[in-house]
Amino acid sequence: MKKLALVLGSLLVVGTAASAKEVVPAPVVVPEKVVEVVEKPVIVYRDREVEQGWRPNGSVDLQYRWYGEAENKTKKEDTVGDWARAKRTNAGRLQVVSDVNFTEKQNLNVRYRGYNTLGGEKSTIGSNELRLRHFYNFGTLGDSKVNAKSRLEYKADTNDAGTKRVEASVGFDFSEYMFSNDYFKVTDFTLRPLYAHEWQGHGNDDSVNELGLNLESSYDLPLGFSAEFNLYGRYDRKLKDNRYANDKKYDLNLGVEAYLYNTTNLYKNGNFGLDFIFEGGYDEYTIHKDKVVKNLAKNYERREYSLYALPALKASYKPTDFVNLYVAAGAEYRNWAVTAESEAKNWRWQPTAWAGMKVSF
């Protein structure tokens, strides 16, 4: 029995070793690297616009205007002088106006006007002119609704012996205190104290110091109408030995301007429009303390005025949101030569037309 047990044990050991040689080891599984793609969320605001910061802005307006010949006087009329303002007869005018807001509170307005003759015996022009204006907006004063804005101005005829003028003023706008409704709105009601100095050429022989107080106002009315009413109170004092016509060194006067404007659309198709435009009124009515206005009889009186009307048709086209092309033609009716109040007469038509382009940026 012992021998049998030993034989069976030996067979069991040999069988186990043989089975162990046939076992294949299990493969080692290496996990793959996982690449994660993370997308940043894109947020689209459809219900509100993101406000952009302030940036400089403005416009440039380039315009050329033609002045025709005013109606001739008749042989029976005893008047003298020019039959168009500032000798603008058979002449053209190139005007460039640049208006730039270079900070949130500061504005610079530059206007140049250059005249040229267009031929003919009666072709005359006035002097070329440059005007610079700088504005600074101080905002409202304290807890009030009064807005304060300063203005510095330089104005000069470009010819060597022409008139030059510098002016400093501050305007106080009270329009927020004025009555307004859906049919009548006060858009400007400014009181402006000012100081100005005016001279001619390069010398100071005919210079004038000026103190003034202006009322400048404008109004929106129904049916495309608007209005403007201005008062200019002045105390002018000549320097050195110069005198006014009354042989005094000073002149105290009040200027009145009253204008009515209207724009009525006649046709519109897309970016093209045709409008009837009108402006007219007193430009200006001046009252002097003393008699300094020369009339036809070579005497002097205190009052003078120029009254005019200018109807015209204007066509405009906007090829882009920033460019506006326009052309207009009409005629101006005015008492060009005789303005002394007691003798104001001889209103005459003068045809005029202009075309231009305004670019905003």
Side-chain angles (χ1 to χ4, degrees):
M1 292 296 292
K2 290 182 179 179
K3 292 180 179 181
L4 180 59
L6 289 171
V7 173
L8 294 175
S10 301
L11 292 174
L12 181 60
V13 172
V14 173
T16 304
S19 299
K21 291 181 180 181
E22 296 179 2
V23 175
V24 179
V28 178
V29 179
V30 179
E32 296 182 359
K33 294 182 179 180
V34 179
V35 179
E36 296 183 0
V37 179
V38 179
E39 296 184 358
K40 295 182 179 181
V42 179
I43 303 175
V44 179
Y45 298 97
R46 300 184 183 279
D47 58 343
R48 64 185 177 89
E49 296 181 357
V50 179
E51 183 177 355
Q52 297 181 351
W54 188 92
R55 64 178 181 84
N57 60 86
S59 63
V60 177
D61 192 338
L62 177 65
Q63 180 191 108
Y64 187 81
R65 184 164 183 170
W66 165 74
Y67 296 94
E69 181 180 329
E71 291 179 283
N72 294 326
K73 61 182 180 181
T74 66
K75 294 181 179 180
K76 294 182 179 180
E77 291 172 339
D78 57 352
T79 184
V80 294
D82 301 318
W83 284 86
R85 182 175 48 188
K87 299 184 179 181
R88 299 168 197 168
T89 302
N90 291 331
R93 184 192 73 187
L94 176 65
Q95 175 178 278
V96 182
V97 179
S98 175
D99 192 79
V100 181
N101 300 305
F102 56 93
T103 72
E104 291 185 83
K105 293 187 176 182
Q106 296 188 75
N107 171 272
L108 180 64
N109 182 276
V110 181
R111 187 186 72 185
Y112 171 77
R113 289 176 171 177
Y115 298 87
N116 65 287
T117 60
L118 297 176
E121 296 181 357
K122 297 181 179 180
S123 182
T124 56
I125 59 174
S127 300
N128 298 341
E129 177 189 285
L130 175 66
R131 189 188 70 184
L132 306 175
R133 281 180 170 177
H134 173 272
F135 298 89
Y136 187 87
N137 190 351
F138 294 97
T140 55
L141 301 178
D143 296 331
S144 71
K145 298 180 182 180
V146 179
N147 189 81
K149 181 184 291 187
S150 67
R151 185 180 75 193
L152 300 176
E153 178 178 299
Y154 172 75
K155 186 177 180 180
D157 295 336
T158 56
N159 60 315
D160 196 51
T163 302
K164 282 83 174 174
R165 176 186 174 87
V166 291
E167 178 187 304
S169 65
V170 179
F172 301 93
D173 184 6
F174 292 83
S175 60
E176 292 296 326
Y177 289 100
M178 300 294 108
F179 171 79
S180 297
N181 56 29
D182 294 338
Y183 304 98
F184 176 84
K185 182 178 181 180
V186 181
T187 55
D188 184 30
F189 198 89
T190 297
L191 288 176
R192 182 184 301 279
L194 64 87
Y195 165 77
H197 180 72
E198 188 173 292
W199 71 100
Q200 291 185 350
H202 298 286
N204 206 34
D205 295 335
D206 196 25
S207 59
V208 177
N209 282 333
E210 180 179 291
L211 296 175
L213 179 63
N214 296 354
L215 169 61
E216 304 163 1
S217 63
S218 57
Y219 312 88
D220 283 344
L221 305 173
L223 304 176
F225 284 91
S226 61
E228 185 177 345
F229 179 76
N230 305 315
L231 295 175
Y232 305 113
R234 294 288 185 271
Y235 173 80
D236 299 335
R237 185 172 183 84
K238 288 200 172 187
L239 302 183
K240 295 191 175 182
D241 295 328
N242 294 285
R243 294 288 191 273
Y244 287 97
N246 57 3
D247 199 33
K248 293 184 179 180
K249 292 180 67 66
Y250 71 90
D251 177 36
L252 188 62
N253 60 82
L254 175 67
V256 181
E257 291 179 344
Y259 305 106
L260 182 66
Y261 307 97
N262 178 260
T263 299
T264 302
N265 180 254
L266 303 177
Y267 176 77
K268 185 173 180 60
N269 185 4
N271 294 332
F272 175 81
L274 179 65
D275 299 317
F276 170 79
I277 60 175
F278 172 84
E279 65 174 86
Y282 283 99
D283 184 38
E284 64 181 20
Y285 188 104
T286 308
I287 305 170
H288 298 267
K289 177 180 180 296
D290 297 296
K291 296 181 178 182
V292 296
V293 180
K294 184 180 293 188
N295 59 28
L296 296 178
K298 307 304 180 182
N299 297 319
Y300 291 91
E301 52 188 275
R302 292 186 174 89
R303 299 176 180 87
E304 64 178 331
Y305 68 89
S306 182
L307 184 63
Y308 83 105
L310 173 58
L313 289 176
K314 181 179 180 180
S316 60
Y317 175 70
K318 294 189 67 175
T320 73
D321 292 337
F322 306 101
V323 178
N324 182 34
L325 308 175
Y326 59 89
V327 60
E332 184 172 355
Y333 189 65
R334 182 190 290 265
N335 56 325
W336 302 102
V338 186
T339 60
E341 183 184 46
S342 64
E343 298 179 332
K345 60 181 179 179
N346 298 336
W347 276 261
R348 291 290 186 269
W349 287 102
Q350 182 189 36
T352 184
W354 61 96
M357 175 179 67
K358 184 175 182 180
V359 179
S360 302
F361 56 87

